Amino acid sequence: MCSVEGELLSLQVAVIGAGSWGTALASVFAYNGHQVTLWMRDAKLAEKVNTLHVNEKYLPEARLSPQIVATTDMKEAVQGKPVVLLAVPSHAMRQVTRELVPYLEPDVLLIHATKGFEMETLKRMSEVIGEEVPASIASGLVVLSGPSHAEEVILRSPTTVVVASASDEKVLRAQDLLMNNYFRVYTNPDMVGAEIAGALKNIIALGAGMSDGLGFGDNAKAALLTRGLAEITRLGIQLGAMPLTFAGLAGIGDLVVTCTSKHSRNWRAGYLLGQGKPLDQVLEQMGMVVEGVRTTNAAYALAGRENVSMPITDVLYRILFEGTSPRQGVEELMGRGRTRENEYLGPYSI
């Protein structure tokens, strides 16, 4: 709970988006003693949440707190709430933000927990949100990122995440509201790095899944994660991120969990692609948003715009959208010309 002068306060919190991640975060807030309104578009699903206390579509085996009340009415969800958390897919962020803006309180603590880019503009989620909400709210926007599968958070498995913001006051409030004995929250001033790392790791997770689907071993996956982190960091620094963010929870932490876990949608999609299934069939089989596919498209465009070398992203783009086979893509990566491991270490002095 949030504390003021030694007293514990129960707050009214709105969570916008009732997918697995939004539902898990709603449960974190409820566990911490807050009253949660969970907004979703599906009226039947909302009824099940309110009567059976279960989100049968995304987390069917988890029983939800009765302190979580679902609604399809945006005004009911947001109006009067001092805390609003957005957990909607990246492609829906702008439209959903527009829908809730009329009901936001002037001093609201606005948090987003979405990893991805807006395809049409190549903008990060904080940039998208910042264009739609009043400047006074945008200046205190908080990003939530880090290694945190919803399937484990809902079971209260030990989890660590990071919240990032340009506002010290808002980021500390978010930390206070979310942290408990199973959900540990760190702070970071680097919003750009947290968002870049959180989005781009999904690309590498697709590649890790493909590697496993092709039957490659641990050596290949270790190489993919390490070199993947290198190119994520290159683009992040070019876009204004702090290098050390990529060595933290939003960077290597999220990269490892997304590339190795059975819960990772991006890994599962990559695995199916590695086994030879076409992309449209994979996406249909997944049944949920695979952010890594859209993010590969965005990162490929960003790398070209910023003139940043991202060979893994380049190969995955051609596998996803230009018909290159996964095995051919691996051969191309392994056959690249020789280069230094880290360009930031400087040239050889020989």
Side-chain angles (χ1 to χ4, degrees):
M1 298 187 193
C2 183
S3 62
V4 177
E5 296 181 353
E7 295 183 9
L8 295 178
L9 301 179
S10 175
L11 298 180
Q12 296 285 331
V13 176
V15 173
I16 308 302
S20 56
W21 190 213
T23 302
L25 289 172
S27 294
V28 172
F29 281 123
Y31 180 85
N32 290 354
H34 305 297
Q35 299 294 319
V36 183
T37 304
L38 181 61
W39 177 86
M40 59 186 69
R41 295 198 186 277
D42 188 330
K44 291 183 178 179
L45 188 61
E47 182 181 2
K48 292 289 181 66
V49 171
N50 292 333
T51 57
L52 302 179
H53 305 295
V54 64
N55 185 335
E56 64 179 10
K57 182 175 182 180
Y58 294 105
L59 294 170
E61 297 180 3
R63 182 168 177 80
L64 304 179
S65 167
Q67 291 178 212
I68 299 173
V69 177
T71 182
T72 59
D73 186 327
M74 186 67 79
K75 181 178 181 180
E76 178 185 353
V78 175
Q79 192 167 62
K81 306 299 192 301
V83 181
V84 176
L85 184 142
L86 282 157
V88 298
S90 60
H91 66 268
M93 182 61 80
R94 190 177 294 275
Q95 180 58 41
V96 171
T97 303
R98 286 176 178 172
E99 291 179 35
L100 63 81
V101 163
Y103 312 116
L104 287 174
E105 295 297 306
D107 59 347
V108 67
L109 171 59
L110 185 61
I111 307 167
H112 94 76
T114 297
K115 299 170 181 176
F117 297 93
E118 184 178 62
M119 273 305 307
E120 297 78 8
T121 64
L122 303 181
K123 290 181 176 178
R124 294 176 285 107
M125 292 297 98
S126 65
E127 295 176 303
V128 172
I129 297 167
E131 290 178 351
E132 302 297 333
V133 303
S136 59
I137 296 176
S139 64
L141 181 64
V142 176
V143 175
L144 171 63
S145 193
S148 48
H149 285 309
E151 295 85 351
E152 295 182 7
V153 173
I154 200 73
L155 297 176
R156 301 177 187 168
S157 295
T159 301
T160 56
V161 298
V162 62
V163 285
S165 177
S167 167
D168 290 343
E169 184 262 331
K170 290 293 177 70
V171 80
L172 289 172
R173 281 187 61 200
Q175 181 184 42
D176 192 30
L177 285 164
L178 286 159
M179 197 152 114
N180 58 41
N181 59 2
Y182 72 89
F183 198 74
R184 183 165 179 79
V185 184
Y186 291 84
T187 62
N188 187 320
D190 183 16
M191 288 178 63
V192 177
E195 288 186 299
I196 294 292
L200 297 188
K201 54 87 183 180
N202 286 328
I203 301 173
I204 309 305
L206 282 172
M210 286 184 202
S211 178
D212 289 335
L214 287 163
F216 298 149
D218 295 336
N219 291 351
K221 185 179 287 188
L224 185 66
L225 267 67
T226 306
R227 298 311 302 161
L229 183 62
E231 64 181 63
I232 290 171
T233 304
R234 272 198 299 272
L235 182 60
I237 291 172
Q238 178 66 23
L239 294 173
M242 300 176 184
L244 282 177
T245 297
F246 300 96
L249 290 166
I252 193 168
D254 208 359
L255 181 67
V256 168
V257 78
T258 311
C259 291
T260 61
S261 173
K262 63 184 179 181
H263 298 308
S264 171
R265 278 174 271 171
N266 293 283
W267 180 90
R268 295 202 306 272
Y271 185 83
L272 294 172
L273 290 165
Q275 291 189 316
K277 295 188 177 181
L279 179 60
D280 56 351
Q281 183 179 334
V282 169
L283 295 178
E284 181 179 355
Q285 182 173 335
M286 294 298 295
M288 291 189 286
V289 174
V290 181
E291 286 283 4
V293 174
R294 295 173 56 84
T295 303
T296 301
N297 203 342
Y300 179 81
L302 279 169
R305 188 189 77 185
E306 300 294 331
N307 194 28
V308 172
S309 173
M310 299 185 71
I312 296 172
T313 299
D314 180 72
V315 164
L316 287 172
Y317 176 87
R318 287 187 283 111
I319 291 171
L320 292 173
F321 304 113
E322 294 183 353
T324 297
S325 73
R327 190 169 293 276
Q328 180 184 350
V330 172
E331 291 173 357
E332 290 179 13
L333 283 171
M334 294 301 292
R336 294 172 63 237
R338 62 185 184 180
T339 185
R340 289 174 290 146
E341 181 182 27
N342 192 328
E343 60 269 36
Y344 301 109
L345 296 178
Y348 292 110
S349 58
I350 57 174

